[in-house]
Amino acid sequence: MTDLLAARSQMAMSLGFHIIFAIMGIGMPLLMILAEYFYLKTNDLTYLTLAKRWAKGTAIMFVVGAVSGTALSFELGLLWPGFMRFAGPIIGMPFSLEGFAFFLEAIFLGIYFYGWDKVSPKAHWFAGIMVFVTGSLSGIFVICANAWMNTPVGFTLENGVVTHFDPWVAMFNPAAFSETFHMTLAAYVSVGFAAAGVHAMALLKNPNNAFHQKGLMIAFCVGAFFIPIQLFSGHISAEHVAKYQPIKLAAMEGQWDTQRGAPLRILGWPNEKLEKTEYAIEIPYMLSFLAYENFDAEVRGIKSFPADERPPIWPIHVGFQVMVMAGMAMLGMAFFGAMFLWKRRRWFFHPRFLKLLVCASPLGFIAVEAGWMVTEIGRQPWIVFHVMRTADAITPMPHLQIPFIAFSALYFILGVVVIYLLRKRVLHVDA
């Protein structure tokens, strides 16, 4: 394994680990404050128990997310000093604001967690709302920095040196809206379906448990409400990628030749030696329409880009297919669940539907990991799109395989601790 591959693998593993806790830290406070809202409205103690249980989950995710996020910040500086030297001043603003939002989130989470009997009920609920707001803002600011890496603006480069920069223009770059919108919704959808699956599993063992019935209702409604909006945001993201990163769109779709009326491909395997996508189901003209709202629009193919500027094609195409299929499966679950709640409520709690919910519970996380893979690998070989190559940003320090192994062990231990804490404090069914 080369040093470059070790560094990239370490970042991929760190981001893949951290992103799960980040989206749970964004999504779980929403469940928490909804449960407390219903408690304040109905005085039903079951909702109070739900709010407290989900608050414990939020606290665990916050702590582990803080640890893995701190490790990531060190890795950025140690593994990619060339990137930080160039981009640090330009995208320092969103990172600074993320830190501010993070500290506010910690303060309000402390008030929420320890203030049940120390502040008024409305003040306590307001603290929960602030945990939700600051947690979401924290994620949005970080994604703004990543969006800048895909559409770098807000600086002047002369002879390889940044002579002027505007941090606000850099933060609100062209990709900022589509990425933050898509990722924030992904957090709500993922947490909604994951929590619904946990409560569905408990109901399979104890069908009459009111705690899990109410928990399932709230969590499912959150996931089902946001998944249609999430698919709409995905369309916005695809149009953005078509405009600003056409090579990424071509890789996502396995589109090798430049073509008018390009087809949308379902499944398929991009054969990079033969430069063709095999075994795909093609829907004529749909890619042109979805990317440019014109059935006859021209879509640039992978072959039109220099070979040394192409990303690895198959991970992007497969990741995109996995993300879309997971999203469509959750949309189907949302449709049938909503229909059952509207017309046949008892079918919603039928063991067959509960089993389907259990199966669907990891789909949001799978979609997030696959989508993040598309975003990051699709930008290669650039760390800052068309400005700085990834290979030029790496540290000159040798033997990067050693920190890769050390951090792998750290994340394994953290993962075991989280699973133990969740089973002990949150996922037990004796509510």
Side-chain angles (χ1 to χ4, degrees), residues 208-220:
N208 297 317
N209 187 303
F211 171 83
H212 291 295
Q213 287 179 348
K214 289 181 170 63
L216 173 59
M217 291 281 286
I218 294 174
F220 175 80

Side-chain angles (χ1 to χ4, degrees), residues 149 152 244 247 305 309 379 382-388:
M149 295 164 71
Y244 289 94
I247 178 62
F305 296 90
E309 293 186 7
R379 195 183 56 246
W382 309 95
I383 192 169
V384 181
F385 194 60
H386 281 176
V387 175
M388 175 180 282

Side-chain angles (χ1 to χ4, degrees), residues 76-379:
L76 273 175
L78 293 173
L79 294 177
W80 311 104
F83 167 74
M84 293 305 294
R85 186 166 49 250
F86 169 74
I90 304 172
I91 56 172
M93 181 68 74
F95 280 128
S96 301
L97 293 174
E98 189 269 343
F100 183 66
F102 174 80
F103 286 123
L104 284 178
E105 183 184 4
I107 291 168
F108 284 109
L109 183 59
I111 295 172
Y112 191 88
F113 203 73
Y114 295 104
W116 287 101
D117 302 319
K118 297 179 177 61
V119 298
S120 71
K122 287 186 178 179
H124 187 268
W125 189 57
F126 176 75
I129 291 174
M130 290 307 296
V131 173
F132 167 65
V133 171
T134 53
S136 296
L137 284 175
S138 182
I140 287 170
F141 289 135
V142 170
I143 296 166
C144 280
N146 177 267
W148 179 84
M149 295 164 71
N150 288 312
T151 52
V153 294
F155 63 96
T156 303
L157 198 61
E158 295 180 3
N159 299 321
V161 178
V162 176
T163 57
H164 171 76
F165 64 88
D166 185 331
W168 294 107
V169 173
M171 190 168 83
F172 297 110
N173 58 80
F177 173 72
S178 60
E179 278 200 32
T180 56
F181 188 38
H182 196 54
M183 194 63 210
T184 305
L185 291 174
Y188 303 148
V189 170
S190 301
V191 171
F193 274 94
V198 170
H199 290 291
M201 186 183 296
L203 286 172
L204 286 170
K205 298 177 181 176
N206 186 3
N208 297 317
N209 187 303
F211 171 83
H212 291 295
Q213 287 179 348
K214 289 181 170 63
L216 173 59
M217 291 281 286
I218 294 174
F220 175 80
C221 287
V222 167
F225 176 79
F226 284 108
I227 184 64
I229 309 173
Q230 172 69 336
L231 294 184
F232 172 69
S233 77
H235 175 63
I236 295 174
S237 295
E239 287 187 325
H240 169 84
V241 169
K243 182 177 181 180
Y244 289 94
Q245 294 181 296
I247 178 62
K248 185 185 286 186
L249 176 73
M252 287 160 60
E253 294 291 344
Q255 180 71 32
W256 290 92
D257 295 305
T258 300
Q259 181 180 358
R260 288 189 175 277
L264 182 73
R265 290 178 178 80
I266 301 173
L267 302 176
W269 180 261
N271 188 325
E272 298 193 35
K273 288 185 178 177
L274 299 178
E275 296 191 333
K276 61 184 293 187
T277 299
E278 301 170 319
Y279 316 118
I281 301 169
E282 296 187 353
I283 304 175
Y285 302 104
M286 282 307 293
L287 177 57
S288 289
F289 177 73
L290 291 175
Y292 299 103
E293 299 180 355
N294 180 349
F295 285 108
D296 197 41
E298 182 179 278
V299 177
R300 284 189 68 181
I302 299 166
K303 293 179 184 175
S304 69
F305 296 90
D308 66 344
E309 293 186 7
R310 298 178 190 174
I313 305 300
W314 75 261
I316 302 169
H317 181 73
V318 172
F320 180 66
Q321 295 287 321
V322 169
M323 179 184 68
V324 172
M325 288 181 184
M328 296 306 292
M330 288 187 287
L331 182 66
M333 292 296 298
F335 174 77
F336 285 109
M339 290 295 293
F340 293 160
L341 284 172
W342 183 33
K343 292 289 188 180
R344 294 284 189 276
R345 193 181 182 90
R346 61 188 173 82
W347 288 6
F348 184 77
F349 294 104
H350 192 282
R352 288 182 181 174
F353 189 67
L354 294 178
K355 289 177 182 176
L356 285 175
L357 282 173
V358 172
C359 294
S361 61
L363 288 179
F365 298 127
I366 292 171
V368 166
E369 294 284 7
W372 200 246
M373 192 169 76
V374 170
T375 300
E376 294 301 293
I377 299 177
R379 195 183 56 246

Side-chain angles (χ1 to χ4, degrees), residues 20-87:
I20 296 298
F21 298 97
I23 60 175
M24 292 191 75
I26 292 170
M28 287 203 70
L30 179 57
L31 303 184
M32 186 178 79
I33 60 174
L34 284 174
E36 188 173 5
Y37 169 78
F38 287 118
Y39 165 66
L40 294 174
K41 292 289 286 184
T42 65
N43 210 31
D44 184 341
L45 292 177
T46 307
Y47 289 117
L48 177 63
T49 307
L50 261 177
K52 290 186 175 181
R53 187 72 65 84
W54 281 335
K56 288 181 182 177
T58 301
I60 292 170
M61 295 303 157
F62 180 85
V63 171
V64 178
V67 173
S68 57
T70 303
L72 262 175
S73 63
F74 278 112
E75 290 175 27
L76 273 175
L78 293 173
L79 294 177
W80 311 104
F83 167 74
M84 293 305 294
R85 186 166 49 250
F86 169 74

